[in-house]
Amino acid sequence: MTHSAIENHRVVAGPTVRFESLLATLGITCEGEKSGSASSDFGLSQEAFTLVEAEGRLELRPPGEAENSGISAHFPPDRFVGKGSKSILVRAFGKKANVIFDLTAGLGGDAYRLARSGHQVFASERDSAIYALLISGWERDRELGNVDLEVSKRLEFSQEEGARVLDQIDQADIGVYLDPMYPRPRRHKALPKRELQVLRQLLGDDEDDAAVLLELARLRAARVVVKRPHRAPPLLPDVSFALSTKLVRLDVYVNPDLMQAASS
Ligand SMILES: C[S@@+](CC[C@H](N)C(=O)[O-])C[C@H]1O[C@@H](n2cnc3c(N)ncnc32)[C@H](O)[C@@H]1O
């Protein structure tokens, strides 16, 4: 697991002893006293997103909502998810256990599902605040015994830009998964509505960026799977095949040269 500081001016953290060093490594400033006081009492900026420790994990609260409950990462994530999108995600990568790089980890739900279905998953998230949520939820649920040990062995999170991860890959026959943010509101089964609203408020959309990442991934991976809203066009043409539910489509790009390279 690697943590690195990527500049983040819009997020501050409330008092926390447990996550102080994680947040320092990520370059997120802790404000207020190290007491158990409510976040509204310690003078956090109303213009910034706030990371608050709650029940042993970090929560992210949008500006002006420091007193409301925020979003956080939970493992396993399934209480939020419709069955349809879960099974098409697993089907999109095929039955053979494989190494998959999830380059848009977010709150880790899809990465967890892929690891649970038998794949070895390396999931990376570039945003420091989202990564702080992800890793604090992952550590907390492992500590509480909520995570199956075998799944835990198959899943690794890091804070990294997806293109950098791709640069470091030297194996053939790998899978890449991309679930970028979309420019307009969409209904999305991987994350519940509140999570998506807050993510969009913090991050905006990364569609152009995602198309570039997909170009790179197609050169490196035997199979790339991209999650799209049902009615949105593919990020790039030449989709090999697609799997759909009513709300979500998975576009699958197969690179036969890399599959052959791996088996020869
Ligand atoms: C829609 S969310 C992913 C949700 C995720 N599939 C889940 O199950 O929680 C998209 C995430 O990808 C991250 N992201 C987008 N582009 C990225 C890139 N190039 N490298 C790393 N992370 C990226 C964003 O910061 C955001 O947290």
Side-chain angles (χ1 to χ4, degrees), residues 103-105 107-110 125-126 161-162 179 181 191 203 206:
L103 302 184
T104 53
L107 298 179
D110 287 335
E125 167 58 47
R126 68 177 168 194
E161 163 59 49
D179 177 16
M181 301 293 298
L191 289 171
L203 305 170
D206 38 39

Side-chain angles (χ1 to χ4, degrees), residues 108-134:
D110 287 335
Y112 187 93
R113 284 173 206 112
L114 289 169
R116 188 174 49 199
S117 73
H119 301 289
Q120 180 71 44
V121 180
F122 297 96
S124 45
E125 167 58 47
R126 68 177 168 194
D127 184 84
S128 345
I130 302 302
Y131 180 73
L133 295 183
L134 174 66

Side-chain angles (χ1 to χ4, degrees), residues 133-153:
L133 295 183
L134 174 66
I135 212 66
S136 71
W138 179 237
E139 283 170 6
R140 181 64 176 152
D141 281 317
R142 284 200 302 173
E143 180 183 277
L144 292 172
N146 294 339
V147 174
D148 181 278
L149 190 60
E150 289 307 308
V151 177
S152 154
K153 284 186 200 158

Side-chain angles (χ1 to χ4, degrees), residues 162-199:
R164 243 187 74 76
V165 175
L166 283 175
D167 266 352
Q168 294 162 29
I169 295 173
D170 58 2
Q171 311 155 252
D173 203 13
I174 57 143
V176 166
Y177 177 57
L178 301 176
D179 177 16
M181 301 293 298
Y182 297 103
R184 58 196 152 76
R186 60 174 176 161
R187 290 193 283 162
H188 187 301
K189 284 277 189 168
L191 289 171
K193 219 169 162 215
R194 166 85 170 147
E195 271 76 1
L196 262 182
Q197 280 169 352
V198 177
L199 281 184

